[in-house]
Amino acid sequence: MRSSKKIKMLALLMLVALLAVACSPAATTETPAETAPSAEEAETEPEEMAEETPATPLWTKELRQAIAAAIDREVIVDRVFEGRNTPAYGMVPPSYPYATEPFQDKYGTRDLEMAKQLLQDAGYSEDNPFVFDLWYPPEHYGTTTADVMQVIKEQLEETGMMVVNLQSQNWAEYVDGFVAGEAPFFMLGWFPDFTDPDNWLTPFASCLQSPDNGVNYCNEEMDALLMEAATSVDPAKREELYQQIGELYAEDVPTIPLFWEPEYITFRTGIEGVAIGGSFEFNYNVLSFTEDAAPASGDFDTIIIGTTDEVNSLDADDAYATHDWEIIKNTGMALMGYTPGTTELIPAAAAAFPEVSDDGLTYTFTLKDGLAFADGTPLTAEDYVYSWDRLNALEGQVSGLVQVYVESVEAPDAATVVYHLKSPIGFFSALAATAPFVAVNPNTFAMDAINSYPDTLDGIGPYRMVSNVPGEQLVLEANPFYTGEDAAKIKNVIIKYFADPTTMGNAVEKGEIDIAWRTLGPVESTRLSGIEGLTVQKVDAPSLRYMVFNHTYVLDSAE
């Protein structure tokens, strides 16, 4: 339901207040004077001292546009992926409603002359090139990432006015680095949190959410457009607004979309229940072995899943990575969920779809009966209030995803959770299916600190985590207190971590693991598709690779 003018104005005023804080320059640290000033000097010093000039961020609009214009996506896709991927000219998947391709409209397929002119306008030349670092994770997105970065380096340096220094780092350190603002320009992948165009734009272009993804972009005009598009339930109005958002996005270039990459999952004969759809969720509890299967563990009660992903954080009030959410949602349960393999939204911890107030500002969820954490502690509505208070107190990586929409949370009784929104949001039920709406167990997750690597995960989901050796394996077992009809068919799940897709591909081929998942990549998946006893399944879910500018990055004077 659309908001009234008064409600919308109040929401925007609140947002502007937040933006004023978020966009203000960081405080500078002064160097102490060698000698203390005299009393006379001290009296006159405040009037005579000139204010320090704030440091200027590295990325001007001209530089961002120059890089956007110089990149040739079709060449990247052809050279690195032999045409298997699809060039991306917008941040929203083409299959989504309201999707546009603003980067193609503004820059054409590639406009090298525009890039050169913009660089000249910014004061650069062949004798005075723009020199900067470009960061990437070498294995997290498959072994082709280094090749993609090399092509981009060549394309940017073809201007004759840029010098690109490629830098790589393992995934865990990489995430810590860009969240801390240490990387000026870097590559990331994005998968849907929930199925709406807002999820592909607000995380990168809103003042509140963009810092969580290392973008640190803030534009009040963009925020206002995003808020209006998110709150509108009029399809024609949303289409118009997302057209405007796309045009501003290409003009201001918060990030640069590169290409859409298909995902693949490979599994051995005798495994059933593999179903991953547009919601990009992998539900372990529906997996099963047929009678003629040959489990890698030798035990029909244990399945082994391989991945090249890494655990970044298993704290639902902090985690903001695909693999982390996968573990959290198999050991926990959000208020809403999806039918496995589809984008069909269904109640999960909630007994039914929420009741929505007439003004669209209040969502009331009634919890299912008998839900309990895997340590036996009964779940109550107060656990959702606890999780909300904790998320706000700790300001973890994922906090912006919820804070931008939610004003407060209350528990009128043990079975009722009420979310009060800052403004009406047409997709809030879908948002309630994300990991921040998984209630954390207070016995494991204290109010005063993020717990990224807990010893156990005793959530209310079909599994509980019993051990985790980072980089080696993570072990789940069936939750003894789970009461759902979709209880785990296979009691134990072992997640094996691999350094690269080739090693993981060899492991599933040899029968050392049952399933190879994220990220095999198109090259290894094509090879495995020709091997008897293996099924390679293409996942029809949008997966975007994109480049990120850290909009607040400032070069050290020594550089």
Side-chain angles (χ1 to χ4, degrees):
M1 182 174 297
R2 295 195 66 187
S3 60
S4 68
K5 183 176 180 180
K6 181 178 179 181
I7 292 173
K8 186 179 294 183
M9 287 301 297
L10 286 172
L12 291 177
L13 286 171
M14 290 173 61
L15 190 57
V16 168
L18 288 172
L19 300 184
V21 176
C23 296
S24 61
T28 56
T29 302
E30 297 181 1
T31 303
E34 293 183 4
T35 58
S38 66
E40 182 178 351
E41 290 173 332
E43 289 178 1
T44 59
E45 187 178 30
E47 296 180 4
E48 296 176 356
M49 284 183 63
E51 291 186 12
E52 283 193 28
T53 302
T56 303
L58 171 67
W59 294 110
T60 64
K61 182 191 290 188
E62 290 79 12
L63 288 175
R64 302 194 302 268
Q65 290 181 342
I67 290 179
I71 290 176
D72 192 328
R73 295 158 179 79
E74 293 186 6
V75 169
I76 295 173
V77 167
D78 289 342
R79 278 183 54 181
V80 180
F81 303 103
E82 299 178 350
R84 286 184 288 261
N85 292 1
T86 304
Y89 296 99
M91 295 295 291
V92 180
S95 61
Y96 273 45
Y98 322 122
T100 62
E101 295 191 317
F103 280 76
Q104 189 170 52
D105 295 340
K106 183 170 179 60
Y107 307 106
T109 303
R110 187 197 192 197
D111 197 332
L112 190 59
E113 292 309 311
M114 177 191 285
K116 292 179 179 179
Q117 186 61 56
L118 286 164
L119 287 165
Q120 289 176 0
D121 293 345
Y124 295 99
S125 63
E126 292 185 4
D127 295 329
N128 177 38
F130 174 46
V131 182
F132 61 94
D133 291 341
L134 170 55
W135 287 83
Y136 68 96
E139 301 291 349
H140 183 72
Y141 297 117
T143 54
T144 55
T145 301
D147 297 329
V148 170
M149 294 299 101
Q150 181 60 39
V151 175
I152 290 177
K153 171 182 168 68
E154 293 171 9
Q155 291 179 351
L156 299 183
E157 292 184 343
E158 192 179 341
T159 63
M161 287 176 273
M162 284 192 269
V163 175
V164 182
N165 299 315
L166 295 179
Q167 308 283 355
S168 64
Q169 202 171 31
N170 72 69
W171 179 245
E173 293 177 350
Y174 187 76
V175 172
D176 290 342
F178 75 69
V179 170
E182 297 169 358
F185 190 41
F186 53 98
M187 182 262 202
L188 280 178
W190 188 255
F191 312 93
D193 296 329
F194 54 92
T195 52
D196 189 88
D198 180 84
N199 188 222
W200 297 85
L201 294 165
T202 296
F204 318 108
S206 83
C207 295
L208 186 60
Q209 289 194 36
S210 70
D212 294 333
N213 296 295
V215 188
N216 296 304
Y217 172 82
C218 191
N219 181 322
E220 292 185 20
E221 180 185 359
M222 180 72 83
D223 265 30
L225 287 169
L226 289 170
M227 178 65 75
E228 190 174 2
T231 58
S232 176
V233 294
D234 180 350
K237 184 63 175 177
R238 291 196 88 195
E239 183 174 8
E240 176 188 342
L241 288 165
Y242 281 119
Q243 178 71 36
Q244 295 178 43
I245 290 168
E247 292 170 359
L248 180 56
Y249 207 106
E251 172 69 22
D252 227 17
V253 199
T255 61
I256 298 178
L258 289 179
F259 51 82
W260 301 103
E261 184 169 70
E263 291 280 345
Y264 301 89
I265 186 166
T266 299
F267 49 95
R268 298 184 62 79
T269 299
I271 297 173
E272 295 183 337
V274 175
I276 304 172
S279 58
F280 216 74
E281 296 199 349
F282 186 13
N283 305 93
Y284 305 156
N285 57 308
V286 299
L287 299 174
S288 63
F289 288 116
T290 61
E291 292 182 357
D292 58 347
S297 67
D299 182 355
F300 278 79
D301 284 337
T302 302
I303 191 166
I304 304 176
I305 301 172
T307 182
T308 60
D309 261 324
E310 296 178 36
V311 170
N312 178 55
S313 177
L314 293 178
D315 188 329
D317 291 331
D318 174 54
Y320 206 3
T322 303
H323 181 64
D324 297 346
W325 279 25
E326 187 172 302
I327 301 300
I328 289 169
K329 295 191 73 175
N330 274 284
T331 56
M333 189 190 307
L335 286 165
M336 302 294 291
Y338 296 95
T339 299
T342 77
T343 56
E344 179 191 6
L345 197 65
I346 58 174
F353 278 83
E355 294 181 10
V356 185
S357 62
D358 290 341
D359 61 6
L361 292 173
T362 302
Y363 280 67
T364 302
F365 295 87
T366 301
L367 299 177
K368 289 177 178 174
D369 294 331
L371 295 176
F373 292 105
D375 62 1
T377 304
L379 175 80
T380 71
E382 283 294 339
D383 292 310
Y384 290 89
V385 177
Y386 177 87
S387 292
W388 163 250
D389 290 341
R390 186 172 178 271
L391 180 143
N392 281 286
L394 299 179
E395 293 284 346
Q397 299 173 70
V398 79
S399 59
L401 179 63
V402 183
Q403 289 172 327
V404 72
Y405 305 117
V406 178
E407 179 66 39
S408 63
V409 182
E410 64 172 323
D413 56 59
T416 307
V417 187
V418 181
Y419 284 80
H420 298 283
L421 308 188
K422 294 180 178 179
S423 60
I425 301 295
F427 50 80
F428 188 73
S429 291
L431 184 67
T434 61
F437 291 83
V438 172
V440 298
N441 189 333
N443 296 326
T444 302
F445 297 96
M447 182 63 73
D448 60 353
I450 289 171
N451 188 0
S452 299
Y453 301 98
D455 294 330
T456 60
L457 273 178
D458 288 328
I460 62 170
Y463 288 96
R464 64 185 298 182
M465 187 188 79
V466 293
S467 68
N468 176 27
V469 180
E472 295 184 21
Q473 73 173 29
L474 182 150
V475 179
L476 308 177
E477 68 177 20
N479 178 355
F481 293 95
Y482 189 73
T483 58
E485 296 179 358
D486 57 345
K489 294 182 178 180
I490 299 177
K491 294 181 180 179
N492 306 300
V493 178
I494 298 175
I495 312 296
K496 290 272 190 186
Y497 295 94
F498 292 87
D500 58 80
T502 301
T503 305
M504 181 169 65
N506 290 336
V508 74
E509 181 181 356
K510 295 176 182 177
E512 297 169 352
I513 60 176
D514 300 294
I515 299 174
W517 165 236
R518 273 195 44 86
T519 301
L520 272 175
V523 175
E524 188 65 14
S525 297
T526 299
R527 183 186 76 81
L528 294 174
S529 65
I531 296 175
E532 186 177 356
L534 295 179
T535 296
V536 177
Q537 184 172 297
K538 185 177 179 179
V539 177
D540 292 325
S543 172
L544 177 67
R545 298 289 179 265
Y546 61 100
M547 304 303 301
V548 177
F549 296 103
N550 178 355
H551 289 252
T552 57
Y553 187 86
V554 177
L555 282 176
D556 187 283
S557 59
E559 298 180 47

